[in-house]
């Protein structure tokens, strides 16, 4: 199965160079594996604007309604430099599919970054995104954006990879400007999209049918908007169970009563969070192979991203979603 190569911007301290404020480097096994299947673009915004390694810490300080990036030891305000760097950096990269940023960093953190009332105060008045991350959200609101810490959660990681590789593949479809390519993309993703949202699956299907005879460029634009809406949140367990039951329907005549019961038991264990989804889908895919069902075998639902990236280990961090 063909997978597109996504472009992912990664905080440079996450395995690329010893550029943390204290001179450390953080080796991240997930990012190391991802490097074989994606184009990784490392960046350390703090080093890029002239802060050295090691360096005195910087923090976010609230001035009125604005967050400022301040270095308390020197009382220097680096906000202007950071904003200029972010604009310049993103102008140099044509396509970005995703981001993996350092958690709790005053520049890269995407949430829970401490914001202080003034440069010398120890009182945290709110939490939010870092200054560089703010530019990421403003400029790439539809990109796949996560922190390295949250990606130790299996469910969050599954959603991140699924969305990342799906959007990268759609970028290739857009470049072809072909209804045939779009039809193929939609067909391959039918059951994956069903797991995410039956509502958006139907709406995207109507766009692909194109009964209004819209120009392909307009169809692709509308389809992309729908795709982002579909991937806005991870699917629930009940949605995955519904998809698996649909897939089982292809083999209702071939499966014996005991075989059907076995799959249903697996689904019950998955519902109870006792098994990962892959324990069920691997059995269903084996049936598709056995029965030589080419339509099911082309479904991205079984492998929405390179299988070598599959890892069901879970730190338990972050919110609980389906996996």
């Amino acid at each position: 199965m063909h997978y597109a190569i996504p472009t992912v911007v990664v905080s440079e301290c996450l395995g690329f160079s010893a550029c943390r404020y204290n001179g450390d480097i953080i080796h991240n096994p997930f990012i190391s594996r991802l490097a074989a299947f994606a184009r990784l673009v490392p960046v350390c915004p703090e080093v890029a604007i002239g802060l050295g390694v090691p360096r005195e810490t910087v923090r976010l300080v609230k001035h009125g309604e604005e967050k400022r990036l301040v270095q308390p030891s020197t009382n220097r305000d680096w906000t202007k430099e950071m904003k200029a760097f972010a604009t310049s950096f993103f102008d140099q990269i044509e396509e970005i599919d995703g981001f993996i940023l350092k958690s709790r960093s005053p520049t890269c953190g995407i949430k829970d970054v401490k914001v202080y009332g003034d440069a010398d105060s120890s009182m945290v008045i709110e939490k939010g995104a870092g200054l560089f991350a703010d530019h990421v959200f403003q400029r790439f609101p539809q990109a796949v954006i996560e922190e390295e810490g949250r990606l130790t959660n299996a469910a969050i990681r599954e959603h991140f990879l699924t969305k990342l590789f799906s959007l990268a593949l759609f970028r290739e479809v857009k470049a072809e400007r072909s209804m045939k390519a779009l039809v193929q993309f939609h067909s391959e993703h039918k059951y994956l999209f069903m797991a995410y949202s039956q509502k958006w699956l139907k709406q995207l299907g109507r766009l692909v049918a194109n009964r209004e005879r819209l120009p392909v460029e307009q169809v692709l634009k509308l389809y992309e908007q729908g795709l982002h809406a579909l991937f806005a949140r991870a699917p629930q367990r009940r949605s995955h169970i519904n998809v698996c039951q649909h897939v089982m329907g292809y083999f209702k005549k071939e499966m014996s009563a005991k075989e059907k019961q076995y799959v249903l038991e697996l689904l019950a264990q998955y519902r109870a969070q006792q098994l990962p989804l892959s324990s069920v889908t691997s059995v269903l895919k084996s049936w598709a192979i056995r029965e030589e069902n080419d339509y099911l075998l082309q479904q991205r639902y079984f492998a929405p991203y390179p299988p070598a990236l599959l890892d069901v280990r879970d730190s338990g961090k972050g919110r609980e979603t389906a996996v």
Side-chain angles (χ1 to χ4, degrees), residues 85 106 109 111 114 123 148 151 179 183 197 215 280 319:
F85 167 72
K111 60 189 303 184
K114 295 177 181 179
M123 182 178 295
E148 92 293 350
L151 288 172
M179 285 300 300
V183 169
S197 170
V280 185
R319 55 187 169 75

Side-chain angles (χ1 to χ4, degrees), residues 38-153:
R39 176 192 171 217
L40 304 186
V41 181
V43 61
C44 178
E46 294 178 22
V47 170
I49 63 173
L51 291 165
V53 181
R55 58 186 171 272
E56 295 294 331
T57 58
V58 290
R59 58 164 54 176
L60 294 179
V61 176
K62 196 73 175 287
H63 284 192
E65 295 301 313
E66 183 183 14
K67 287 185 296 188
R68 310 289 297 182
L69 185 67
V70 177
Q71 191 171 43
S73 63
T74 62
N75 202 32
R76 179 168 176 180
D77 189 320
W78 291 87
T79 308
K80 181 179 178 181
E81 289 85 350
M82 183 57 67
K83 289 182 176 180
F85 167 72
T87 300
S88 173
F89 176 76
F90 293 134
D91 283 346
Q92 296 174 36
I93 306 176
E94 292 184 4
E95 297 281 357
I96 300 177
D97 301 297
F99 294 82
I100 302 177
L101 300 176
K102 180 67 190 79
S103 59
R104 295 188 293 277
S105 160
T107 52
C108 288
I110 67 172
K111 60 189 303 184
D112 295 331
V113 179
K114 295 177 181 179
V115 181
Y116 297 86
D118 61 63
D120 299 316
S121 173
S122 60
M123 182 178 295
V124 176
I125 61 172
E126 66 183 43
K127 292 184 178 181
L131 204 58
F132 182 78
D134 275 339
H135 283 265
V136 170
F137 286 116
Q138 291 166 14
R139 189 147 175 177
F140 303 95
Q142 307 297 352
V144 196
I145 306 168
E146 268 300 349
E147 296 178 334
E148 92 293 350
R150 282 169 48 86
L151 288 172
T152 60
N153 176 293

Side-chain angles (χ1 to χ4, degrees), residues 208-228:
V208 172
N210 196 19
R211 294 186 178 88
E212 293 83 6
R213 304 295 181 188
L214 300 174
V216 64
E217 292 84 2
Q218 187 175 352
V219 174
L220 288 168
K221 182 179 180 180
L222 293 171
Y223 192 94
E224 184 173 22
Q225 293 172 357
L227 201 57
H228 288 307

Side-chain angles (χ1 to χ4, degrees), residues 3-4 6 34 37 161-169 304-306 309:
Y3 294 98
L34 183 61
F37 304 96
L161 288 170
T162 298
K163 184 176 178 180
L164 178 70
F165 280 90
S166 298
L167 294 182
L169 187 61
Y305 53 84
L309 292 172

